[in-house]
Amino acid sequence: MKTQEVIIEPGRAERHYWRDLWRNRELLYILSMRDVSVRYKQTALGTAWGLIRPLTTMLIMVFVFSKIAKLPADPGVPYPLMVLGGITVWTFFSTAFTQISNSVTLNSNLVTKVYFPRLLMPLSSVAVSFLDFLVSLGLFILLAIWYRFVPDWHLLLLPAFIVMALLASFAFGLFFAVVNVKFRDIGQLIPFIVQVGFYVCPIAYSSRLVAEKSNEWWAPFYWCNPLVGIIDGFRWSLLGERAYFNPQSLLVSATIVGVCLFLSLYFFRKRENTFVDDI
């Protein structure tokens, strides 16, 4: 078995951080597999929960927003497909965001005992959300077959929107991961943020409805939501031209996510040496 020696000396972490991160890729794999196995440990249904949650949520959202509220879907798009597309990418983002935000405190036993690049913890925590995402995407494929919905060339752009959702979860999750170490109130705040985000993002409704009310005072604030462009783009890549997508909202999303990711990464690197003292 190949071993490696790590010499901890003043200033080393700064000079060799990214090289140490790469050298500890095996630890990244171990932490990822541990999170996946713990996620469904001692559950009777196991990974089936990844299927039950989006399916149940979709059925409720379709009943409430389509049958009761009478909101229309995009023309030519079945309402369940539109909702499930939004739920799939939103669940991926929100689960990754939550896991990343709690990653440092959940691994406090490791942080206080051994040295390793702390960025491994948020990186490994996205494995669970990606597994749930694949299950939910499989459900979407089955539903698309049921509705005889055939995707077109837009599907080629799907990986780009998945990466953007992942980067967005890191952009906001890394910041809260650092603050959560010092103030445990963040652990109570994160579920509330996710709950509010579910309704202010175009998951159970189409952004076309907002575009038709562009004269309203709140419309500009809606388009400043960085998740709007990502969710609309993800749905557009799955459903094609019939799904509403505003390219300008994607530009806003990319700018906000890029800036926040840079600042969060800088903040995390700046504070990670204090985790041992604060945790």
Side-chain angles (χ1 to χ4, degrees):
M1 180 179 178
K2 187 178 180 180
T3 60
Q4 62 183 30
E5 183 181 36
V6 177
I7 301 174
I8 302 176
E9 56 187 4
R12 174 185 168 81
E14 293 296 331
R15 295 197 305 270
H16 305 287
Y17 187 83
W18 299 108
R19 191 170 68 184
D20 287 346
L21 191 69
W22 173 249
R23 283 180 172 177
N24 284 277
R25 59 188 181 279
E26 189 174 352
L27 177 60
L28 174 65
Y29 174 77
I30 293 171
L31 291 176
S32 301
M33 292 301 102
R34 182 207 60 180
D35 290 343
V36 171
S37 62
V38 169
R39 170 80 162 183
Y40 299 110
K41 188 177 182 181
Q42 293 184 322
T43 59
L45 300 179
T47 53
W49 281 110
L51 183 67
I52 294 171
R53 278 193 298 267
L55 179 61
T56 307
T57 307
M58 181 203 70
L59 293 174
I60 294 173
M61 290 297 105
V62 169
F63 178 74
V64 172
F65 286 91
S66 176
K67 303 300 180 184
I68 297 178
K70 303 294 184 183
L71 295 182
D74 288 322
V77 177
Y79 209 97
L81 274 182
M82 187 189 77
V83 173
L84 187 58
I87 289 175
T88 300
V89 67
W90 168 257
T91 305
F92 177 49
F93 164 79
S94 61
T95 307
F97 167 69
T98 304
Q99 295 286 334
I100 292 170
S101 300
N102 294 314
S103 59
V104 178
T105 52
L106 291 177
N107 289 285
S108 58
N109 56 334
L110 287 177
V111 174
T112 55
K113 288 186 175 68
V114 295
Y115 165 78
F116 60 91
R118 305 311 190 200
L119 200 56
L120 284 176
M121 293 179 287
L123 285 172
S124 66
S125 63
V126 299
V128 171
S129 57
F130 191 68
L131 179 64
D132 287 347
F133 169 77
L134 292 178
V135 174
S136 185
L137 190 61
L139 177 62
F140 181 90
I141 294 172
L142 291 177
L143 196 63
I145 294 173
W146 171 265
Y147 280 103
R148 298 179 181 177
F149 201 96
V150 180
D152 53 21
W153 64 268
H154 296 86
L155 193 63
L156 298 175
L157 299 174
L158 186 67
F161 292 104
I162 296 173
V163 170
M164 283 200 66
L166 182 62
L167 293 179
S169 64
F170 272 102
F172 305 114
L174 284 179
F175 171 78
F176 284 105
V178 175
V179 181
N180 197 18
V181 174
K182 188 78 172 179
F183 305 101
R184 299 304 167 87
D185 307 74
I186 299 300
Q188 306 297 322
L189 178 64
I190 289 170
F192 177 70
I193 294 175
V194 171
Q195 187 178 16
V196 172
F198 187 87
Y199 292 100
V200 299
C201 292
I203 299 168
Y205 54 88
S206 171
S207 290
R208 188 187 301 274
L209 301 176
V210 180
E212 292 172 352
K213 298 180 179 179
S214 57
N215 293 330
E216 298 286 348
W217 63 270
W218 46 263
F221 296 99
Y222 175 83
W223 297 112
C224 288
N225 181 350
L227 270 301
V228 169
I230 296 174
I231 294 173
D232 283 345
F234 181 85
R235 211 152 43 191
W236 174 75
S237 63
L238 284 175
L239 301 173
E241 288 291 349
R242 284 174 283 186
Y244 180 83
F245 176 52
N246 181 2
Q248 291 182 347
S249 65
L250 182 62
L251 184 62
V252 173
S253 300
T255 303
I256 294 176
V257 169
V259 172
C260 290
L261 182 61
F262 175 78
L263 294 177
S264 294
L265 195 57
Y266 177 80
F267 186 48
F268 188 93
R269 289 283 294 112
K270 201 73 175 175
R271 297 290 302 174
E272 68 175 306
N273 289 335
T274 67
F275 288 167
V276 177
D277 301 321
D278 294 336
I279 210 160

Short mmCIF file of all heavy atoms in Angstrom, two decimals, residues 164 229 245-257:
data_model
loop_
_atom_site.label_atom_id
_atom_site.label_comp_id
_atom_site.label_asym_id
_atom_site.label_seq_id
_atom_site.Cartn_x
_atom_site.Cartn_y
_atom_site.Cartn_z
N MET A 164 -23.86 24.02 -13.30
CA MET A 164 -24.21 25.33 -12.73
C MET A 164 -24.96 25.18 -11.41
O MET A 164 -24.73 25.94 -10.46
CB MET A 164 -25.06 26.13 -13.72
CG MET A 164 -24.26 26.75 -14.85
SD MET A 164 -25.13 28.11 -15.63
CE MET A 164 -25.19 29.32 -14.32
N GLY A 229 -32.59 31.27 -13.59
CA GLY A 229 -31.97 30.93 -14.87
C GLY A 229 -31.53 29.48 -14.94
O GLY A 229 -31.63 28.83 -15.99
N PHE A 245 -37.74 29.86 -21.41
CA PHE A 245 -36.36 30.10 -20.96
C PHE A 245 -35.93 31.48 -21.43
O PHE A 245 -35.99 31.79 -22.63
CB PHE A 245 -35.43 29.03 -21.53
CG PHE A 245 -33.97 29.27 -21.20
CD1 PHE A 245 -33.57 29.48 -19.89
CD2 PHE A 245 -33.02 29.27 -22.20
CE1 PHE A 245 -32.23 29.70 -19.59
CE2 PHE A 245 -31.67 29.48 -21.90
CZ PHE A 245 -31.29 29.71 -20.60
N ASN A 246 -35.49 32.31 -20.48
CA ASN A 246 -34.98 33.65 -20.79
C ASN A 246 -33.46 33.64 -20.67
O ASN A 246 -32.93 33.54 -19.56
CB ASN A 246 -35.60 34.66 -19.80
CG ASN A 246 -35.13 36.07 -20.09
OD1 ASN A 246 -34.37 36.31 -21.03
ND2 ASN A 246 -35.57 37.02 -19.27
N PRO A 247 -32.72 33.72 -21.79
CA PRO A 247 -31.25 33.66 -21.73
C PRO A 247 -30.64 34.73 -20.83
O PRO A 247 -29.58 34.52 -20.25
CB PRO A 247 -30.83 33.86 -23.19
CG PRO A 247 -32.02 33.42 -23.99
CD PRO A 247 -33.21 33.81 -23.18
N GLN A 248 -31.31 35.88 -20.70
CA GLN A 248 -30.77 36.94 -19.85
C GLN A 248 -30.75 36.52 -18.39
O GLN A 248 -29.84 36.91 -17.63
CB GLN A 248 -31.61 38.22 -20.02
CG GLN A 248 -31.47 38.85 -21.41
CD GLN A 248 -32.27 40.14 -21.53
OE1 GLN A 248 -33.12 40.44 -20.69
NE2 GLN A 248 -32.02 40.89 -22.59
N SER A 249 -31.72 35.71 -17.98
CA SER A 249 -31.73 35.24 -16.60
C SER A 249 -30.56 34.30 -16.33
O SER A 249 -30.02 34.26 -15.22
CB SER A 249 -33.05 34.52 -16.29
OG SER A 249 -33.16 33.33 -17.06
N LEU A 250 -30.13 33.57 -17.37
CA LEU A 250 -28.97 32.70 -17.21
C LEU A 250 -27.69 33.52 -17.03
O LEU A 250 -26.81 33.15 -16.26
CB LEU A 250 -28.83 31.78 -18.43
CG LEU A 250 -27.67 30.78 -18.36
CD1 LEU A 250 -27.86 29.81 -17.20
CD2 LEU A 250 -27.55 30.00 -19.67
N LEU A 251 -27.61 34.65 -17.74
CA LEU A 251 -26.45 35.54 -17.59
C LEU A 251 -26.38 36.08 -16.16
O LEU A 251 -25.30 36.14 -15.56
CB LEU A 251 -26.55 36.68 -18.60
CG LEU A 251 -25.37 37.65 -18.65
CD1 LEU A 251 -24.10 36.91 -19.04
CD2 LEU A 251 -25.65 38.78 -19.64
N VAL A 252 -27.54 36.47 -15.63
CA VAL A 252 -27.59 36.94 -14.23
C VAL A 252 -27.16 35.83 -13.29
O VAL A 252 -26.36 36.05 -12.36
CB VAL A 252 -29.02 37.42 -13.89
CG1 VAL A 252 -29.13 37.75 -12.40
CG2 VAL A 252 -29.40 38.63 -14.73
N SER A 253 -27.65 34.61 -13.53
CA SER A 253 -27.31 33.48 -12.67
C SER A 253 -25.81 33.21 -12.70
O SER A 253 -25.19 33.03 -11.64
CB SER A 253 -28.06 32.22 -13.14
OG SER A 253 -29.45 32.42 -13.09
N ALA A 254 -25.22 33.19 -13.90
CA ALA A 254 -23.80 32.88 -14.03
C ALA A 254 -22.94 33.94 -13.33
O ALA A 254 -21.94 33.62 -12.67
CB ALA A 254 -23.41 32.79 -15.51
N THR A 255 -23.35 35.21 -13.45
CA THR A 255 -22.58 36.29 -12.81
C THR A 255 -22.64 36.19 -11.29
O THR A 255 -21.60 36.25 -10.62
CB THR A 255 -23.14 37.66 -13.27
OG1 THR A 255 -23.10 37.73 -14.69
CG2 THR A 255 -22.32 38.79 -12.67
N ILE A 256 -23.85 36.02 -10.76
CA ILE A 256 -24.01 35.96 -9.29
C ILE A 256 -23.31 34.72 -8.73
O ILE A 256 -22.60 34.80 -7.72
CB ILE A 256 -25.51 35.97 -8.92
CG1 ILE A 256 -26.13 37.31 -9.30
CG2 ILE A 256 -25.68 35.70 -7.43
CD1 ILE A 256 -27.63 37.37 -9.05
N VAL A 257 -23.50 33.58 -9.38
CA VAL A 257 -22.86 32.35 -8.90
C VAL A 257 -21.34 32.46 -8.97
O VAL A 257 -20.64 32.06 -8.02
CB VAL A 257 -23.36 31.13 -9.73
CG1 VAL A 257 -22.52 29.90 -9.42
CG2 VAL A 257 -24.82 30.85 -9.42
#
